[in-house]
Amino acid sequence: MAPGARVVDIMPRLDQVQEGNKVKVREIRGGRSVRQRLAEMGIHPGDIVGIIRSSVFGGPLLIDIRDSEVAIGRSVAQKIEVEVVD
Amino acid sequence: MIIALAGQQNSGKSTIFNQLAGYRAVTSNFPGKTVQYTKSQVNYHGKVFDIVDLPGTYSLTSFDLAELESRKYLLKGEVDVVINVIDASLLSRSLELTKQLMELEIPLVLCLNFMDDARRKGIHINTKKLSEVLGVPVVSAIAVKGIGIQELIEESLKAGEQKELGKSLSFSKDVEKVVEDLAVKVSILAKEWNVPERFLAMKLLEGDEYFLTKIEDVKILEEITHAQKILEKSHGRPSDVVISSERHALAINIFDEVATVGKLGITFRDKLDKVLMHQYLGYVFLALILYLFFNIVFSLGAVIESPIINFFEKSVIPAARVRLGTGLAQYLFIGVIQGFAGGIGIVLPYLIPFLIGLAVMEDAGYLPRIAFLMDTFLHRMGLHGKSILPLILGYGCNVPAVMGTRILESDRDRYITAVLATMVPCAARTTIILGLVAFFISPAAALGIYILNIVVIALSGTLLARIMPEITPGLILEVPRYQIPSVKVVLNKTWLRTKEFVFIAWPLLIAGSAVLSFLEYYKMDMAINQILYPLTSLLLGLPMVVGITLIFGILRKELAMVMLIQTLGTSHVLDVMSRTQIMTFVVFVTFYIPCIATIAVLIQELGKKRAGFVIIFTTIMATVMALLIRIVGELYGY
């Protein structure tokens, strides 16, 4: 690494993750309403979710969160910062 | 004693309610301001009590209208026991609502429904231990099979008599301290509003708008902000996230303590979803399923419709003519009978099969999947997937469709979806499209109208979304398991929606018919034709006599066709109207002003101003589309 270069932490967002991956939710950006509606579905920072389906045409994602499946619109997924696990 | 059923959507709450109500004496529906809930008086071995089925709620936050309504009801202080119905296979998530319900300080009984499903998923729950941890009775149930219902009643009655509250489950120390400190500071308000102070403190920390906007005291508001800041500082996240994460952690801890999870293979659901939610195949199946659905409904409807209409046309009305002579009374009476017959002729044959079919799709778990599939398109328009559900309902009747927009989160989405729902051709308009276009021109032309309609709705939606460029909250929707629908629940849902037609639309339909007879009797149709001449004849190139039929159509859509045939003086419409004229007329009738019953519901749901906008908007759309048809038709010489 060049001297003086900084490690920039680029966090992928949920909508950028490929189908079949498991990710850990890092942060949920966006307003209180989105945060709380996600929390109602059992999705909070720190939770592990699996991506069952992520359509290529800007459609919604289908994710797996502790035995339940939730459809999440792309605009919502863009607000969720994640890190890929295993 | 009043027992309230509370639980998350898809927890099988309605099935439990129907099982309990198997012992029922009386069932009635409460129209809340925004949602309806069902109350039933139950007589169980001589003990009489009321059960109230609250709308499904994921939490007790104040975003969702249904959730707010449920919360308000629970806080009214009338409820003696809350039965919290949860899907046992989703125990850890469901416990978050349980925790919030326990904070309401009402005796609670936990009902673990879908125990068989949980077991199949490899989840084993130690109910005794769960009961100890929470300090409330826990009953396992498989509601569809009626298992656990008696025990649930007995435990609930006992809980109602003993009035024991569950254990208070604490958050981690630092958060608990902030909650408790704030609870003390808002205790006066809590007493005034009759809300448990801990519950209030928690909701305020979560930034609950309903409570926050009610507070006038600046000092208390400052205290709340201060408490929120403490949490934000120590946890590095917004205070609402801190609280919900605490609740989440607590739920997971309890889950780990009382349940074990085995390994799970590929299920039937996964296999089915691979096809039904596939990015291409999903749409093929959606089209196929909807095609079958409408085909069955309308062929069934047609079979039932004609004998009913015949009965009124051939027996009742001629009999009335003979008895009442030719005065105003006769005209009015026939109008009323026709309105009544129209209701029976349309509701029974088309609406009820439609609503039953819809409830079956809903209960089988297919509707959320439709929302998932349609989100791709609706998202582009500036709405989201859930808007599709009221729109589908619109093909049955626009009245429940407009009411169905309540499932949407934002006011703007509800508004736009309601406008679009009024443009969906309901059962009454379908009879016109089939009766005039499919019959006199061709079935393909009729299909063309439906496709044109979908295109126009999509364009209107895009346009309205651009005019109101608020960002839609985005789709967040649970996709539940597939299920074999229960007959009772399906019939109950069908009845609730039919009722919206019977009590709102039908009376207006009958009144409208009477008004029409009045106009007819005083021969006001000529004047109306004259007034509408510029629109009907000059602009759209239709015979002048159709003017009156358009007025009739506002009062009752299907009357537009009946009256057309009557005013033309022949059922051989093609002798007096060209194909282009028929198409133009039907397209105009399909899009223009919603019927009077729909207008009434629009006023109730959206207010007068917005209802007025719908009338203007749909009239413009109808005129533009009809004009287009006229130009194209005349160009090609049809």
Side-chain angles (χ1 to χ4, degrees):
Chain A
M1 193 186 288
R6 282 195 304 163
V7 181
V8 183
D9 191 14
I10 305 169
M11 196 83 71
R13 300 174 326 216
L14 186 61
D15 63 301
Q16 298 165 327
V17 182
Q18 298 256 312
E19 258 178 42
N21 279 306
K22 269 195 182 325
V23 297
K24 184 175 189 177
V25 176
R26 290 286 298 266
E27 288 301 332
I28 297 169
R29 306 283 171 207
R32 196 172 63 90
S33 146
V34 171
R35 295 195 299 258
Q36 289 199 346
R37 288 199 304 135
L38 286 169
E40 288 182 350
M41 295 292 152
I43 304 163
H44 311 73
D47 282 322
I48 308 266
V49 302
I51 290 98
I52 304 175
R53 233 175 290 299
S54 175
S55 94
V56 279
F57 311 112
L61 289 85
L62 182 65
I63 63 155
D64 169 350
I65 167 86
R66 236 168 271 116
D67 291 325
S68 66
E69 288 177 14
V70 181
I72 289 188
R74 198 145 287 258
S75 60
V76 178
Q78 283 164 354
K79 292 176 183 149
I80 305 175
E81 288 177 359
V82 296
E83 87 190 79
V84 179
V85 294
D86 58 62
Chain B
M1 189 184 290
I2 295 179
I3 301 176
L5 282 172
Q8 301 190 329
Q9 276 161 47
N10 311 310
S11 62
K13 206 166 51 64
S14 311
T15 316
I16 299 251
F17 178 79
N18 280 302
Q19 291 278 3
L20 290 173
Y23 300 92
R24 99 186 102 192
V26 197
T27 298
S28 54
N29 287 289
F30 277 74
K33 187 167 175 282
T34 49
V35 279
Q36 286 199 332
Y37 36 91
T38 315
K39 191 174 184 176
S40 190
Q41 199 176 66
V42 174
N43 185 337
Y44 179 76
H45 300 316
K47 279 187 187 154
V48 179
F49 55 93
D50 289 326
I51 45 171
V52 176
D53 188 19
L54 295 175
T57 52
Y58 281 105
S59 74
L60 293 180
T61 48
S62 67
F63 286 106
D64 193 295
L65 295 173
E67 296 186 347
L68 194 58
E69 203 66 35
S70 291
R71 188 171 87 178
K72 269 193 208 155
Y73 183 80
L74 287 170
L75 286 171
K76 267 207 281 186
E78 292 172 2
V79 178
D80 298 286
V81 184
V82 174
I83 297 179
N84 177 202
V85 182
I86 71 180
D87 180 342
S89 68
L90 301 173
L91 181 63
S92 81
R93 187 190 80 191
S94 311
L95 283 172
E96 293 180 39
L97 175 64
T98 308
K99 160 92 175 113
Q100 294 182 62
L101 287 169
M102 285 170 69
E103 279 153 13
L104 293 175
E105 296 175 10
I106 304 168
L108 182 134
V109 175
L110 193 62
C111 172
L112 299 181
N113 193 18
F114 293 115
M115 276 306 260
D116 49 344
D117 227 70
R119 232 167 276 144
R120 225 172 293 135
K121 270 186 169 175
I123 303 170
H124 289 273
I125 303 166
N126 184 340
T127 49
K128 223 178 126 198
K129 198 154 180 194
L130 181 59
S131 170
E132 276 165 27
V133 173
L134 297 174
V136 301
V138 176
V139 178
S140 326
I142 306 169
V144 272
K145 293 182 186 155
I147 296 171
I149 302 300
Q150 296 216 4
E151 194 190 344
L152 185 62
I153 298 180
E154 274 153 27
E155 287 295 342
S156 306
L157 290 174
K158 215 168 25 174
E161 278 156 20
Q162 293 172 345
K163 298 195 190 306
E164 259 176 58
L165 297 177
K167 285 182 188 159
S168 124
L169 307 162
S170 309
F171 289 155
S172 43
K173 255 197 187 130
D174 63 316
V175 180
E176 192 60 38
K177 190 171 178 317
V178 176
V179 173
E180 269 170 21
D181 286 352
L182 188 62
V184 174
K185 280 170 187 142
V186 297
S187 62
I188 297 169
L189 279 180
K191 210 163 261 161
E192 194 184 310
W193 297 341
N194 205 8
V195 177
E197 45 185 59
R198 246 184 85 88
F199 177 78
L200 181 61
M202 215 102 69
K203 287 294 150 201
L204 291 172
L205 286 170
E206 283 181 89
D208 190 287
E209 267 148 42
Y210 175 77
F211 288 127
L212 277 174
T213 49
K214 270 173 76 175
I215 298 175
E216 282 155 11
D217 191 337
V218 185
K219 245 185 158 171
I220 292 184
L221 283 172
E222 272 168 17
E223 292 282 5
I224 295 164
T225 318
H226 176 68
Q228 286 176 339
K229 286 261 163 65
I230 298 177
L231 290 181
E232 270 157 42
K233 227 171 166 184
S234 59
H235 288 252
R237 290 210 166 97
S239 65
D240 58 283
V241 178
V242 177
I243 297 288
S244 81
S245 296
E246 282 288 322
R247 212 180 280 131
H248 186 50
L250 200 69
I252 289 179
N253 283 342
I254 296 173
F255 180 81
D256 288 342
E257 210 178 323
V258 303
T260 55
V261 185
K263 201 85 191 123
L264 183 75
I266 290 174
T267 58
F268 165 72
R269 169 201 179 132
D270 296 334
K271 284 185 203 153
L272 200 53
D273 275 344
K274 269 225 161 86
V275 183
L276 292 185
M277 293 177 83
H278 187 270
Q279 54 178 328
Y280 310 114
L281 281 180
Y283 296 98
V284 176
F285 276 91
L286 174 64
L288 211 68
I289 289 168
L290 288 183
Y291 173 75
L292 273 178
F293 169 63
F294 283 110
N295 219 338
I296 292 171
V297 167
F298 284 105
S299 40
L300 200 70
V303 172
I304 318 171
E305 186 191 5
S306 35
I308 297 171
I309 297 284
N310 274 342
F311 170 72
F312 280 101
E313 300 275 299
K314 298 219 169 93
S315 315
V316 180
I317 292 175
R321 282 229 162 86
V322 173
R323 287 195 151 214
L324 292 168
T326 50
L328 177 62
Q330 187 239 21
Y331 268 84
L332 285 181
F333 181 76
I334 288 176
V336 168
I337 292 285
Q338 274 172 336
F340 186 76
I344 292 186
I346 298 220
V347 184
L348 272 182
Y350 297 108
L351 189 60
I352 291 177
F354 178 86
L355 292 176
I356 290 177
L358 193 68
V360 167
M361 287 207 288
E362 190 176 352
D363 270 30
Y366 191 55
L367 285 192
R369 285 161 172 97
I370 297 181
F372 174 83
L373 290 169
M374 294 310 290
D375 186 65
T376 312
F377 306 108
L378 289 162
H379 181 67
R380 296 239 164 125
M381 276 167 54
L383 292 170
H384 73 65
K386 269 203 243 173
S387 289
I388 197 69
L389 307 179
L391 296 183
I392 293 178
L393 194 52
Y395 284 98
C397 174
N398 289 176
V399 170
V402 170
M403 291 181 156
T405 58
R406 289 170 183 169
I407 59 165
L408 298 166
E409 299 84 2
S410 89
D411 179 58
R412 169 226 184 229
D413 286 10
R414 276 197 294 274
Y415 181 22
I416 296 178
T417 309
V419 177
L420 301 183
T422 60
M423 297 169 77
V424 174
C426 60
R429 275 175 275 180
T430 291
T431 59
I432 300 180
I433 297 172
L434 295 182
L436 288 177
V437 177
F439 190 77
F440 291 112
I441 302 174
S442 71
L447 186 66
I449 291 189
Y450 282 98
I451 293 170
L452 174 72
N453 177 263
I454 291 173
V455 172
V456 172
I457 288 175
L459 290 176
S460 307
T462 314
L463 179 72
L464 292 173
R466 294 286 177 283
I467 297 173
M468 291 176 264
E470 191 184 306
I471 291 163
T472 169
L475 180 72
I476 301 176
L477 179 67
E478 183 177 12
V479 180
R481 65 164 69 75
Y482 289 104
Q483 246 188 133
I484 294 171
S486 118
V487 176
K488 270 187 191 167
V489 174
V490 165
L491 292 181
N492 206 24
K493 269 189 190 153
T494 304
W495 167 235
L496 279 178
R497 287 179 181 144
T498 309
K499 253 184 52 186
E500 285 163 6
F501 176 89
V502 172
F503 292 118
I504 298 171
W506 208 353
L508 284 167
L509 219 125
I510 294 171
S513 272
V515 171
L516 294 176
S517 297
F518 192 76
L519 293 180
E520 227 179 345
Y521 183 76
Y522 287 105
K523 307 249 181 307
M524 283 190 250
D525 40 346
M526 292 308 282
I528 290 169
N529 285 343
Q530 204 64 51
I531 294 167
L532 290 176
Y533 177 76
L535 173 73
T536 52
S537 297
L538 288 184
L539 193 61
L540 300 179
L542 298 169
M544 192 176 141
V545 290
V546 306
I548 184 74
T549 66
L550 297 179
I551 301 297
F552 276 64
I554 296 172
L555 294 161
R556 278 174 50 195
K557 287 278 174 181
E558 83 287 0
L559 268 188
M561 178 171 66
V562 179
M563 285 311 296
L564 181 73
I565 289 168
Q566 209 171 323
T567 49
L568 292 176
T570 171
S571 58
H572 299 283
V573 180
L574 272 180
D575 293 348
V576 281
M577 279 172 88
S578 69
R579 288 192 165 84
T580 301
Q581 284 178 321
I582 294 177
M583 272 303 254
T584 308
F585 176 77
V586 173
V587 165
F588 188 82
V589 169
T590 304
F591 285 104
Y592 87 131
I593 309 181
C595 74
I596 193 154
T598 308
I599 295 174
V601 176
L602 284 171
I603 293 173
Q604 177 196 318
E605 298 286 310
L606 306 173
K608 278 190 193 131
K609 221 170 121 193
R610 288 175 163 191
F613 170 79
V614 175
I615 292 174
I616 295 167
F617 183 77
T618 51
T619 308
I620 293 172
M621 275 296 169
T623 311
V624 171
M625 285 304 131
L627 193 60
L628 220 66
I629 294 284
R630 178 192 177 185
I631 292 168
V632 173
E634 285 177 359
L635 222 61
Y636 286 88
Y638 282 106

